[in-house]
Amino acid sequence: MSKTSDSASRAGRLRRAPENFVDSTLADDIARDGLNPTRRNFLQRSFLAAGAALAGGAAFAADAPKGAGDPMILEPRPWATSLGQPVAARPYGMPSKFEANLQRRQSPGLTQTAQASVAFTPLQGLFGIITPSGLHFERHHQGWQEIDPTQHRLMVHGLVREAKVYTMDDIMRLPSVSRMHFIECGANTGMEWGNAAVPTVQYTHGMLSCCEFTGVPLSVLLDDVGADTKRGQYLLAEGGDGSGMTRTISMEAALSDVLVAWGMNGEMLRPENGYPLRLVVPGVQGVSWVKWLRRIKVGDAPWNTKDETSHYVDLMPDGQHRQYTSIQECKSVITSPSGGQALLDRGYFNVTGLAWSGRGRIKRVDVSTDGGKTWRAARLESPVLPKCLTRFNFDWQWDGSPALLQSRAVDETGFVQPRYRQLREVRGTKSIYHNNAIQTWQVATNGEVTNVHVD
């Protein structure tokens, strides 16, 4: 971008999306009645009203006064004329108090109890591809537990030469690896199947995170117990929480890239992310990444457990349920500008977002500003890794006209992220899981950005 004094070339300001736009009374009402179409419209209005409260640049520093110079430069600041905090004042570091609004948020109306609910990652406020451990999304079926690692055990049995029980010390003595992978809940973007239901990218796509995981390859444990990899084509993974979460994992995946992980982002797993032990099943929906992992059984057939038959299945247009569609297909989303934000000036904006595929690397991301009529290639920022988030950026000059922002990802298999029309032709509109359709953000002439559907 050339550096000129022309207003169309100057970087524009972006107002952040408002937080806490749903008060406790409305949240209780939604939890009781659910997110019906009327309620969705009311949520949108509440959100826009909250955004209006930030208008006028409240989320940004004011423009520098004309002529006299900026006192923030000319006058010494208090922090430049006083003694700061001592080292290790916070033995475990915390974010700045000025970033306190960037939090996981629970969406009202999803479940009747918070122990079996979701807390969404604030994608709109993150950079790069790594999700901070404290902002990793949560999905629990009976709440998270604080487990004493000295009392935790992992049993591996079934079609094996010798069944074994491992302590955490046993597992952490084995050869370990560290890999970066995304994890996405199968229900991510699930509220958007029928129409634009929620206002921000945190709620449309926030059941998505990406971390560096450290652990022992599951293949090492299977080799240690002498697993029969000919007859034993499936594994049953069971968690140690009260829900008894169990999932079928293919032997092919187990011998490929599945980890039994204890580490995340350079430290031990957080309790809400499965401490002290969880499965990492790259490219596969998050429910298969069993937390508080306590048991692995080798068998010769899928187990068809409760969460593989009544949940995490795809309701097809003819009324049948499609099972074992675990792989998270190629998908992308623009995180800025995105719903709830507002463009405060005309001029240059960096359109940025994330792309991912459960089948490998992202090959290309295209961006459209006119609802998919025309596309231009975005820049893929390194690293571009298999089954990992990829950050993309795109230069855009906004002239004040209405715009429809979209991103479309292509993975290394040639799979192209579908439009809603294409997805619904195959899947209908009554599903919940595995929605990887192109997301549209509408930019109005006043700069406000909202969630809309474009077929």
Side-chain angles (χ1 to χ4, degrees), residues 90-95 104 130-136 146 149 168 172 176-180 210-216 259-278 280:
R90 298 171 177 171
Y92 194 95
M94 300 292 289
R104 290 181 288 219
I130 294 296
T131 306
S133 296
L135 295 176
H136 193 292
E146 189 89 57
M168 286 300 300
M172 294 182 71
S176 65
V177 298
S178 295
R179 299 182 189 136
M180 288 189 285
C210 183
C211 296
E212 181 188 57
F213 295 96
T214 299
V216 57
L259 299 181
V260 175
W262 60 81
M264 189 172 84
N265 290 342
E267 61 179 1
M268 293 296 288
L269 290 162
R270 298 289 177 91
E272 61 267 34
N273 298 126
Y275 178 88
L277 202 63
R278 79 172 304 166
V280 169

Side-chain angles (χ1 to χ4, degrees), residues 28-165:
D28 291 341
D29 195 17
I30 294 169
R32 183 179 63 252
D33 296 337
L35 279 172
N36 56 51
T38 302
R39 184 69 63 202
R40 291 191 188 102
N41 293 337
F42 186 70
L43 272 175
Q44 290 278 11
R45 290 196 301 272
S46 299
F47 184 79
L48 292 175
L54 291 178
F60 294 85
D63 290 335
K66 305 296 183 184
D70 191 338
M72 298 299 172
I73 288 289
L74 299 177
E75 299 174 10
R77 298 291 88 205
W79 48 85
T81 58
S82 59
L83 193 61
Q85 297 288 334
V87 297
R90 298 171 177 171
Y92 194 95
M94 300 292 289
S96 166
K97 65 181 181 181
F98 299 106
E99 302 299 328
N101 273 339
L102 197 69
Q103 300 177 12
R104 290 181 288 219
R105 303 282 177 182
Q106 182 181 354
S107 181
L110 285 181
T111 62
Q112 293 298 313
T113 61
Q115 287 82 1
S117 190
V118 178
F120 297 80
T121 292
L123 299 176
Q124 72 280 359
L126 302 185
F127 314 109
I129 60 174
I130 294 296
T131 306
S133 296
L135 295 176
H136 193 292
F137 84 91
E138 298 178 62
R139 169 66 170 110
H140 308 310
H141 293 258
Q142 197 163 310
W144 61 268
Q145 298 285 351
E146 189 89 57
I147 295 176
D148 182 347
T150 66
Q151 298 183 30
H152 189 69
R153 302 291 186 270
L154 171 63
M155 179 171 67
V156 184
H157 66 131
L159 296 176
V160 301
R161 181 183 63 250
E162 178 188 4
K164 291 188 178 183
V165 173

Side-chain angles (χ1 to χ4, degrees), residues 419-455:
R419 303 179 68 87
Y420 264 106
R421 179 185 66 255
Q422 296 170 312
L423 191 63
R424 287 168 177 158
E425 285 174 354
V426 178
R427 300 277 306 282
T429 61
K430 303 300 183 183
S431 192
I432 297 174
Y433 304 101
H434 310 121
N435 180 356
N436 67 322
I438 291 172
Q439 170 68 39
T440 306
W441 304 115
Q442 178 176 265
V443 181
T445 55
N446 64 359
E448 288 188 348
V449 186
T450 55
N451 176 17
V452 298
H453 271 202
V454 173
D455 285 338

Side-chain angles (χ1 to χ4, degrees), residues 180-184 208-210 257 281-285 289 326-333 354-365 384-391 409-417 436:
M180 288 189 285
H181 292 296
F182 79 84
I183 172 174
E184 181 184 21
L208 170 74
S209 296
C210 183
D257 54 9
V281 191
V284 170
Q285 61 186 349
W289 297 43
S326 296
I327 293 177
Q328 297 297 96
E329 300 289 359
C330 186
K331 190 172 177 179
S332 70
V333 66
L354 297 164
W356 61 100
S357 172
R359 298 190 184 275
R361 286 179 173 84
I362 291 297
K363 180 180 178 182
R364 192 177 79 246
V365 175
V384 179
L385 302 172
K387 304 176 185 179
C388 183
L389 293 188
T390 296
R391 172 68 63 175
V410 183
D411 68 18
E412 62 184 348
T413 72
F415 184 98
V416 180
Q417 183 180 2
N436 67 322

Side-chain angles (χ1 to χ4, degrees), residues 219-370:
S219 59
V220 172
L221 291 178
L222 294 175
D223 182 66
D224 188 49
V225 299
D228 185 341
T229 58
K230 294 282 200 269
R231 290 171 53 215
Q233 290 298 297
Y234 299 93
L235 308 179
L236 178 72
E238 180 180 275
D241 63 318
S243 73
M245 174 57 65
T246 47
R247 298 295 297 180
T248 296
I249 309 293
S250 73
M251 180 64 76
E252 180 183 10
L255 296 177
S256 174
D257 54 9
V258 176
L259 299 181
V260 175
W262 60 81
M264 189 172 84
N265 290 342
E267 61 179 1
M268 293 296 288
L269 290 162
R270 298 289 177 91
E272 61 267 34
N273 298 126
Y275 178 88
L277 202 63
R278 79 172 304 166
L279 270 190
V280 169
V281 191
V284 170
Q285 61 186 349
V287 68
S288 295
W289 297 43
V290 175
K291 293 175 286 192
W292 313 291
L293 182 68
R294 67 177 295 272
R295 185 166 70 100
I296 293 175
K297 184 177 182 180
V298 181
D300 59 3
W303 268 265
N304 293 312
T305 63
K306 65 180 177 65
D307 287 293
E308 296 174 329
T309 54
S310 60
H311 299 290
Y312 299 95
V313 293
D314 299 319
L315 178 60
M316 304 300 284
D318 63 2
Q320 293 191 72
H321 278 147
R322 185 174 62 168
Q323 286 183 261
Y324 296 112
T325 52
S326 296
I327 293 177
Q328 297 297 96
E329 300 289 359
C330 186
K331 190 172 177 179
S332 70
V333 66
I334 292 170
T335 57
S336 181
S338 60
Q341 298 176 352
L343 282 59
L344 301 179
D345 305 304
R346 299 182 184 185
Y348 169 81
F349 285 89
N350 180 52
V351 177
T352 188
L354 297 164
W356 61 100
S357 172
R359 298 190 184 275
R361 286 179 173 84
I362 291 297
K363 180 180 178 182
R364 192 177 79 246
V365 175
D366 299 318
V367 170
S368 176
T369 60
D370 56 13

